[in-house]
Amino acid sequence: MKCLNCGYETSLDQHNITCPKCGGILEIIIELKNFTFNNLKGRGVWRYKDAIPGNYTKIVSMNEGGTPLIKTKEEGKEIYYKFEGANPTGSFKDRGMTVAVSSALNTNYKVVVAASTGNTAASAAAYAARSGLKIFLVLPKGKVALGKLAQSILYGANIIEVNGSFDVAMNSVLKMYKDLGIVYPLNSFNPWRLEGQKTIAYEIAEEIGVPDSIIVPVGNAGNIYAIWKGFKELMENGSINKIPRMIGIQAEGASPIAKAIAKGSELPVFTNNPETIATAIRIGKPVNWIKAMKAIHNSNGTALCVSDNEIIEAQKELARKEGIGAEPASAAALAGYKKALHEGIINEKEKTVLILTGHALKDPDSMLRINTKIMSLNPEEIEKNVLGEINVNN
Amino acid sequence: MKCLNCGYETSLDQHNITCPKCGGILEIIIELKNFTFNNLKGRGVWRYKDAIPGNYTKIVSMNEGGTPLIKTKEEGKEIYYKFEGANPTGSFKDRGMTVAVSSALNTNYKVVVAASTGNTAASAAAYAARSGLKIFLVLPKGKVALGKLAQSILYGANIIEVNGSFDVAMNSVLKMYKDLGIVYPLNSFNPWRLEGQKTIAYEIAEEIGVPDSIIVPVGNAGNIYAIWKGFKELMENGSINKIPRMIGIQAEGASPIAKAIAKGSELPVFTNNPETIATAIRIGKPVNWIKAMKAIHNSNGTALCVSDNEIIEAQKELARKEGIGAEPASAAALAGYKKALHEGIINEKEKTVLILTGHALKDPDSMLRINTKIMSLNPEEIEKNVLGEINVNN
């Protein structure tokens, strides 16, 4: 393990979550031994158990992962949507949670905590419930999409609504972890969680080989690194022969990394007041920014930002052309793909995978604001009206 | 194909949806030729394409199916949850829709229609969007769960809210199909849809062999038949050596089939005013009742009804013990399982699969009414409060 802040190196130890020396972000460095795609068994995250470091006497799993990689219906194009909404709680977070919560059990913690814009909360609450661990969630008050808040309630988590943004909630969790020592943090600064998320890369590589680019929404910035790390491990192991460009997408009002990339800076342009309708990526101070920068630079990638209007349009297009229902933050990947095409960063013949991080059902309000035709009729009026509608349009 | 109403028999024809003679419910009878679990490829519904009758020049698919079969965390027990919430639109309906919508394309329809309590609507709208077909949905006004209505809007379906129950909406669709001839019905009286749904049985048999019992929520009553049909085909083919007992679960206020079974009647006890918080099974006149009866009788199964309170408790237990978030109609399966245990219909050592038909996110209101601890705090108060809560409980 290596600290990306102070450079401190130590051997792999499941008890280490942040740097034992400076508290900085830790990187888990592993070498795949005897790993090959040819003898894997089972489905989902734990299909790649030989690539997941740590000891797990008891695995808390709901067969997460193994999500559909949906090819665009546009003929002749190699665009794929990795639909993470098909995970048990409806987002990619489940991949990391199965590893982190299993790790918490194995290191004898009794209490887990997480700050969240919503998806982490829902996932952490579900896995904590299954594991029997006590859980506290810190959520920015009034800023969590309805479905996600409802999930946290259903799972019986202890919910703390904090007066402040996600970044304030995140800080509270970091502080609590360091001060108390007895609460296990389930946020993505916990590098063990990312070991689960990296299986997105393993699944893509196994199913369609290595794409030219991966387009991924960036909030707290752990996922773009986790996916890159997966490809990197496979490449070092000889299972694949290149690494895709990692292209991160942020919302204009919450784009510390995209802004940094745009101006050639190594440091994010943090904001105290992130704003976007894509609540899952409404984050002004991504805790994993240093990892995201590493993934972007090392893969010859980039980061772009998209407007809320572009996100809304992309969500609608994804649903109405492809049939895929994704939450706004996920739709940002499609908006970003279009921008990358427009700016000549990628071309439409390349093999590209868009990571759709969460289900449309996570945020019903985002769907309800889109227009559609609704008629209120008595039973005997239906046939005439349908016939009229069909004829008008033919 | 054989009509379950008048007995008329005809050869397999994809254009037949109801009986050409009397308009009754048609059964598709096939023999699996050369089918074996040993040479299957791909994942999801179309993994079993050799078992799906009909011609499909263009398949409208989002890699539906291939859902997790989650084993209970209770040690020593062989209880499994088939989590259909992991389908693209969050319910098992996607399995049938990929087949029915592909079939509509292949038979040159331009318009599809469906009546729905919500899940069929969401799924039909998604697959219609992906196929490019025009769609009309007939929904009972004010009786569709929020997430499902929002999905139908997102997908851009033409929505008709009818003043009446689901059964009224269903009748309108049946009438429209018969009167107009140009609209393809996506409801489960369409036997091609059930050919997709039967893959639930194929997946279970392939993954864990044949369970002793299958517990399945019953609304319009197509799914219990479809799953039974899948096992029956595999048994006739010699791939498996028994058929599980099919145990259907209905909500007390909408239990025409469970009531019939209870009094030994062959005819359902229809109701004009079905009532239950489990909106997905709030159906008083199940269009596939005759198929459900067949599945239950031929498998030595039964049907039970559970109260709304039992459903609410089961939804909570499923989430807080197992970590699985299912909508109320799905939780009815767990409530029904408990009742079946209590009544000695099954014992807890049997291998049992509960079909969880839809995701908890489909119905956020159902989650929000469950109690949990919510604290509203300033950042500096969090640590003290969490420590207090931990100490109180230890």
Side-chain angles (χ1 to χ4, degrees):
Chain A
M1 306 183 86
K2 188 175 177 184
C3 176
L4 287 171
N5 183 44
C6 75
Y8 176 74
E9 288 186 46
T10 176
S11 57
L12 205 65
D13 183 342
Q14 217 162 346
H15 293 87
N16 288 338
I17 290 167
T18 54
C19 175
K21 217 171 150 195
C22 79
I25 293 284
L26 273 185
E27 200 171 29
I28 293 175
I29 300 160
I30 60 159
E31 199 183 315
L32 298 182
K33 282 173 194 148
N34 307 322
F35 180 90
T36 150
F37 281 123
N38 298 327
N39 59 4
L40 301 173
K41 279 184 193 146
R43 56 160 279 160
V45 168
W46 296 98
R47 177 173 173 81
Y48 308 101
K49 61 181 188 300
D50 291 344
I52 300 172
N55 298 312
Y56 303 92
T57 46
K58 193 176 169 191
I59 287 178
V60 183
S61 171
M62 290 187 276
N63 302 17
E64 50 295 310
T67 54
L69 189 59
I70 305 171
K71 195 174 184 183
T72 178
K73 69 171 198 184
E74 292 188 67
E75 282 182 30
K77 288 192 181 168
E78 283 205 286
I79 304 167
Y80 295 83
Y81 300 96
K82 184 70 171 160
F83 185 58
E84 291 292 297
N87 276 296
T89 75
S91 87
F92 73 98
K93 306 282 183 173
D94 295 344
R95 290 180 187 270
M97 259 355 131
T98 181
V99 176
V101 170
S102 300
S103 202
L105 281 183
N106 215 57
T107 43
N108 293 315
Y109 281 86
K110 304 286 180 248
V111 182
V112 293
V113 292
S116 179
T117 64
N119 281 334
T120 295
S123 182
Y127 285 82
R130 192 166 173 87
S131 70
L133 293 171
K134 194 176 183 75
I135 182 166
F136 293 88
L137 298 172
V138 189
L139 309 178
K141 191 172 186 171
K143 301 203 167 168
V144 172
L146 177 68
K148 306 173 188 183
L149 179 63
Q151 285 180 292
S152 305
I153 290 169
L154 172 65
Y155 288 118
N158 296 288
I159 298 172
I160 297 165
E161 295 184 324
V162 68
N163 298 309
S165 68
F166 166 79
D167 303 293
V168 170
M170 179 80 257
N171 261 339
S172 301
V173 165
L174 258 169
K175 189 168 177 300
M176 216 174 348
Y177 164 61
K178 287 173 183 171
D179 289 355
L180 305 184
I182 54 166
V183 295
Y184 187 89
L186 292 174
N187 282 104
S188 58
F189 67 80
N190 178 337
W192 302 91
R193 213 188 84 182
L194 301 184
E195 292 300 304
Q197 289 171 214
K198 77 180 181 188
T199 56
I200 291 177
Y202 282 71
E203 287 180 11
I204 293 170
E206 188 180 1
E207 194 168 339
I208 59 163
V210 185
D212 298 300
S213 300
I214 301 273
I215 319 265
V216 52
V218 172
N220 219 13
N223 208 29
I224 189 168
Y225 166 86
I227 298 171
W228 168 78
K229 183 177 195 284
F231 283 111
K232 182 169 157 282
E233 287 169 359
L234 288 169
M235 164 107 155
E236 288 171 353
N237 157 267
S239 293
I240 59 175
N241 57 21
K242 68 170 183 176
I243 291 176
R245 281 185 298 167
M246 301 302 303
I247 302 178
I249 311 298
Q250 297 198 294
E252 263 173 12
S255 52
I257 290 171
K259 282 206 185 89
I261 297 284
K263 65 175 197 173
S265 162
E266 281 307 301
L267 290 177
V269 185
F270 291 137
T271 168
N272 282 323
N273 300 299
E275 265 313 327
T276 165
I277 50 117
T279 51
I281 52 173
R282 187 197 257 154
I283 294 176
K285 299 176 181 171
V287 71
N288 285 302
W289 67 267
I290 198 167
K291 286 189 168 175
M293 286 295 195
K294 184 170 180 176
I296 290 168
H297 290 317
N298 279 280
S299 69
N300 194 28
T302 189
L304 299 170
C305 63
V306 292
S307 70
D308 276 5
N309 278 339
E310 288 168 328
I311 291 172
I312 292 168
E313 276 307 303
Q315 188 186 21
K316 190 171 148 186
E317 182 182 328
L318 199 54
R320 297 192 179 182
K321 274 196 190 164
E322 299 284 357
I324 304 172
E327 69 167 312
S330 306
L334 177 57
Y337 173 71
K338 285 164 166 278
K339 182 159 277 184
L341 273 186
H342 183 73
E343 295 187 0
I345 294 169
I346 55 178
N347 74 62
E348 60 175 10
K349 289 186 178 158
E350 286 178 46
K351 189 192 274 192
T352 310
V353 176
L354 282 66
I355 311 293
L356 303 181
T357 44
H359 206 287
L361 283 169
K362 288 281 197 168
D363 188 354
D365 295 333
S366 75
M367 299 190 264
L368 292 171
R369 69 174 160 239
I370 299 177
N371 286 330
T372 203
K373 181 146 193 164
I374 301 187
M375 295 168 274
S376 194
L377 300 173
N378 288 315
E380 63 277 11
E381 303 168 312
I382 293 176
E383 206 164 295
K384 191 183 68 190
N385 275 274
V386 166
L387 209 52
E389 288 287 326
I390 293 173
N391 289 333
V392 161
N393 290 280
N394 282 345
Chain B
M1 308 182 87
K2 188 176 177 183
C3 176
L4 287 171
N5 183 42
C6 74
Y8 176 74
E9 288 187 46
T10 176
S11 58
L12 205 66
D13 182 342
Q14 218 161 346
H15 292 85
N16 288 339
I17 291 167
T18 52
C19 175
K21 216 171 152 197
C22 78
I25 293 286
L26 274 184
E27 199 171 27
I28 294 175
I29 301 159
I30 60 159
E31 200 182 313
L32 298 181
K33 284 173 193 147
N34 308 319
F35 180 91
T36 150
F37 281 124
N38 298 326
N39 58 5
L40 302 173
K41 278 184 192 146
R43 55 160 278 160
V45 168
W46 296 98
R47 175 174 175 81
Y48 308 100
K49 62 180 186 302
D50 291 343
I52 299 173
N55 297 311
Y56 303 92
T57 46
K58 193 177 170 191
I59 286 177
V60 184
S61 171
M62 290 189 278
N63 302 17
E64 52 293 311
T67 54
L69 189 60
I70 306 171
K71 195 173 184 183
T72 179
K73 70 170 197 184
E74 292 187 68
E75 281 181 34
K77 287 194 183 168
E78 282 204 286
I79 303 167
Y80 295 85
Y81 301 96
K82 184 68 172 162
F83 185 58
E84 291 293 298
N87 276 295
T89 76
S91 86
F92 74 98
K93 308 281 183 174
D94 295 343
R95 292 180 185 267
M97 263 348 136
T98 181
V99 175
V101 170
S102 300
S103 202
L105 282 182
N106 215 58
T107 43
N108 292 312
Y109 280 85
K110 304 286 178 247
V111 182
V112 293
V113 293
S116 180
T117 63
N119 281 334
T120 294
S123 182
Y127 285 81
R130 191 164 175 89
S131 71
L133 293 172
K134 194 176 183 73
I135 181 165
F136 293 88
L137 298 173
V138 189
L139 310 177
K141 192 169 183 172
K143 300 203 168 167
V144 173
L146 178 69
K148 307 175 189 184
L149 180 63
Q151 285 179 292
S152 304
I153 291 170
L154 172 65
Y155 287 120
N158 296 288
I159 297 172
I160 297 165
E161 293 182 324
V162 68
N163 298 309
S165 69
F166 166 79
D167 303 292
V168 169
M170 180 79 259
N171 261 339
S172 301
V173 164
L174 257 170
K175 188 169 177 303
M176 219 179 339
Y177 165 60
K178 286 173 183 171
D179 290 354
L180 304 184
I182 55 168
V183 296
Y184 187 90
L186 292 175
N187 282 103
S188 59
F189 66 80
N190 179 337
W192 301 92
R193 212 189 85 184
L194 301 184
E195 293 299 303
Q197 287 171 215
K198 77 181 182 187
T199 57
I200 291 177
Y202 282 72
E203 288 179 9
I204 293 170
E206 189 180 0
E207 195 168 338
I208 58 162
V210 184
D212 298 300
S213 300
I214 302 273
I215 317 265
V216 51
V218 171
N220 218 11
N223 209 31
I224 190 169
Y225 166 85
I227 298 171
W228 169 77
K229 184 178 193 287
F231 283 112
K232 183 169 155 283
E233 287 169 358
L234 289 168
M235 164 106 155
E236 287 170 352
N237 158 267
S239 292
I240 60 175
N241 57 19
K242 67 170 184 175
I243 292 176
R245 277 185 301 168
M246 301 302 303
I247 301 178
I249 311 298
Q250 299 199 293
E252 264 173 12
S255 53
I257 290 171
K259 282 204 185 93
I261 296 284
K263 64 175 195 172
S265 162
E266 281 307 302
L267 290 176
V269 184
F270 291 137
T271 168
N272 282 322
N273 302 298
E275 266 313 327
T276 165
I277 49 114
T279 53
I281 51 172
R282 186 198 259 154
I283 294 177
K285 300 174 180 171
V287 71
N288 285 302
W289 68 267
I290 197 166
K291 286 189 168 175
M293 285 296 193
K294 184 171 180 173
I296 289 168
H297 289 317
N298 278 280
S299 70
N300 195 26
T302 191
L304 299 170
C305 64
V306 292
S307 71
D308 277 6
N309 277 339
E310 288 168 328
I311 292 172
I312 292 169
E313 275 308 303
Q315 187 185 22
K316 189 171 150 187
E317 181 181 330
L318 199 53
R320 297 189 179 184
K321 274 197 188 162
E322 298 284 356
I324 304 172
E327 67 167 314
S330 306
L334 178 57
Y337 174 71
K338 286 164 168 279
K339 182 159 278 185
L341 274 185
H342 183 71
E343 296 187 359
I345 295 169
I346 55 180
N347 74 63
E348 61 175 12
K349 288 186 178 156
E350 286 179 45
K351 190 193 275 192
T352 309
V353 176
L354 281 65
I355 311 294
L356 303 181
T357 46
H359 205 289
L361 282 168
K362 290 280 195 168
D363 189 355
D365 295 331
S366 75
M367 298 189 263
L368 292 171
R369 69 175 160 238
I370 299 176
N371 286 331
T372 202
K373 181 147 194 165
I374 301 186
M375 297 168 271
S376 193
L377 301 173
N378 287 316
E380 64 277 10
E381 302 168 313
I382 293 176
E383 207 164 296
K384 190 184 64 188
N385 275 276
V386 167
L387 210 50
E389 289 287 325
I390 294 174
N391 290 336
V392 162
N393 290 279
N394 284 348

